[in-house]
Amino acid sequence: MENSDFQLVPEHIPKDHPLVTRDYSLFTPAIEKMVSTIGRWLDDQFDGATIYGASRLGKSSAVDNWLEGLLAARYGGFIPMVIWSHTESGGASASGRFYANLLEAAKHRLARSTRSPTERLGMLVDRFEQLSAQAGGRFVVLVIDEAQGMTMREWLWLVELHSMLEKKRIRLCVISIASVQFRDDPINLAMAGGAHVAARFLLTAARFHGICDEAQLGYVMSGYDEGSEWPVGSGISFTASIIPELWSNGFRLASYAAPLWEEFINQLPHRYDGPHEIPMKTISVVCRRILLLLASGRAVSDVLSKKSISEIVEHSGHGALMAIISAGAPRGRTPKG
């Protein structure tokens, strides 16, 4: 293990490199499936549906970095989409704040101006109508990340918005991105008197998976080797830019998917009761550490020895995170979507 004054990021690595800032997102099979599923829901003109999954699998990253662009490519152009990461609106009279949050997500220039709740709702309807017109159609997609935090009041305010748009013949599709426990919320809402909310927005769901096997892990790791770029426009991958000499000599991070997958499974918590799906959070921490250790001049045989891989995976917090996932793992029937 490193001594106490060890610095992981070597001085010669630019401080704005994505591996240093961790400001990047790699494409995964789960993202591909999520986009395909949401595309099918849009084709079927659902009013709402849910993507749910355990913490740190990469749901928010998928929404922030991939969803809008890939759906636009699927439909051949601009897609009228508003992405909102849920924040609590406050008390029972905070509908104005709720609408202001949605106006800000929709990039309305007067989102934070002083207006009554009724005026803000009207502004929001106008903004959504404008977005639908831009796309040449009569629909808008609202994606709510962290939707498990939505209160009954907020769902009811959303029903009001949905109804007002319906009167203008504009279809609003609400896609909720939520934690795995959220899959039970439609029933809970119905039992609490919100059956119309559940029937409108939460009628179907699909699960967002982590990395499920060695092949998928290799695919994701190859993103560092081939599916990434830095500096932008250079055509140079993360691996090539961090360890250019090793890259020139044939080193590829994806070649080590097998021992890494084995260690991820070996370090699952005792009596682990969740799915064998590795979160992207863990994978990114581990791959980043491997590449930065190699960039510091350490030998491949040292950094990627069985002992070192075991220490790197342990250092990533993999065991603790998987214990949390196990505690909240879905049990029983999974909704289909």
Side-chain angles (χ1 to χ4, degrees):
M1 297 293 289
E2 299 91 7
N3 56 42
S4 59
D5 60 352
F6 170 75
Q7 293 185 354
L8 178 61
V9 181
E11 291 185 2
H12 70 276
I13 301 297
K15 297 301 181 282
D16 60 344
H17 194 290
L19 279 180
V20 177
T21 64
R22 295 187 61 190
D23 183 18
Y24 67 93
S25 176
L26 297 178
F27 190 69
T28 69
I31 293 173
E32 182 177 26
K33 183 177 180 182
M34 179 188 74
V35 173
S36 175
T37 299
I38 292 176
R40 187 177 75 248
W41 289 338
L42 296 181
D43 290 342
D44 291 337
Q45 299 191 6
F46 283 10
D47 289 328
T50 302
I51 297 288
Y52 70 92
S55 299
R56 314 310 286 169
L57 294 186
K59 300 185 299 297
S60 293
S61 178
V63 168
D64 293 340
N65 295 286
W66 297 97
L67 181 59
E68 187 171 5
L70 291 175
L71 282 177
R74 175 189 174 106
Y75 290 105
F78 172 77
I79 185 165
M81 176 177 289
V82 174
I83 297 174
W84 175 48
S85 183
H86 174 264
T87 53
E88 175 61 51
S89 298
S93 61
S95 59
R97 189 175 300 116
F98 174 77
Y99 296 134
N101 289 336
L102 289 179
L103 282 167
E104 190 165 27
K107 297 180 173 57
H108 194 292
R109 60 186 182 85
L110 298 178
R112 290 300 169 182
S113 63
T114 303
R115 295 286 193 279
S116 70
T118 300
E119 288 173 323
R120 283 176 171 168
L121 176 56
M123 291 162 61
L124 193 56
V125 170
D126 290 343
R127 177 58 177 156
F128 278 25
E129 187 174 19
Q130 179 187 43
L131 288 172
S132 70
Q134 271 184 263
R138 305 296 295 174
F139 84 102
V140 181
V141 183
L142 173 61
V143 179
I144 304 177
D145 196 12
E146 305 295 344
Q148 70 274 0
M150 288 277 288
T151 64
M152 176 66 85
R153 289 190 309 272
E154 290 172 324
W155 283 118
L156 292 175
W157 294 332
L158 199 58
V159 167
E160 187 175 6
L161 170 64
H162 191 273
S163 297
M164 291 184 69
L165 287 168
E166 275 189 328
K167 290 177 182 177
K168 288 180 170 284
R169 302 178 65 84
I170 296 172
R171 180 172 58 85
L172 174 64
C173 176
V174 178
I175 303 296
S176 301
I177 311 295
S179 65
V180 68
Q181 293 82 5
F182 189 75
R183 72 179 193 142
D184 296 323
D185 266 26
I187 303 302
N188 296 335
L189 278 170
M191 293 178 66
H196 58 301
V197 173
R200 190 177 301 215
F201 298 133
L202 307 172
L203 201 56
T204 191
R207 188 170 164 197
F208 189 96
H209 293 276
I211 302 305
C212 300
D213 54 37
E214 179 190 321
Q216 288 191 5
L217 179 60
Y219 178 87
V220 170
M221 292 173 72
S222 70
Y224 291 91
D225 299 330
E226 306 288 351
S228 52
E229 183 181 63
W230 194 90
V232 175
S234 67
I236 302 173
S237 71
F238 288 176
T239 305
S241 61
I242 284 286
I243 45 173
E245 192 170 329
L246 288 173
W247 169 269
S248 297
N249 290 330
F251 176 87
R252 299 295 183 267
L253 185 62
S255 301
Y256 294 87
L260 195 54
W261 178 260
E262 181 181 4
E263 196 57 41
F264 280 138
I265 299 304
N266 287 343
Q267 290 196 30
L268 289 174
H270 182 57
R271 294 182 179 176
Y272 176 73
D273 195 25
H276 283 193
E277 299 176 16
I278 310 305
M280 276 302 299
K281 164 72 173 178
T282 301
I283 293 169
S284 65
V285 169
V286 168
C287 290
R288 175 180 186 267
R289 191 169 189 85
I290 289 171
L291 288 172
L292 290 175
L293 286 173
L294 292 171
S296 70
R298 300 197 179 191
V300 173
S301 58
D302 290 337
V303 174
L304 287 157
S305 67
K306 184 175 179 58
K307 180 176 183 294
S308 177
I309 288 175
S310 177
E311 291 175 348
I312 290 170
V313 170
E314 182 180 5
H315 177 87
S316 73
H318 171 63
L321 179 54
M322 296 306 286
I324 293 170
I325 289 175
S326 177
R331 292 167 175 81
R333 187 176 62 86
T334 300
K336 294 180 180 179

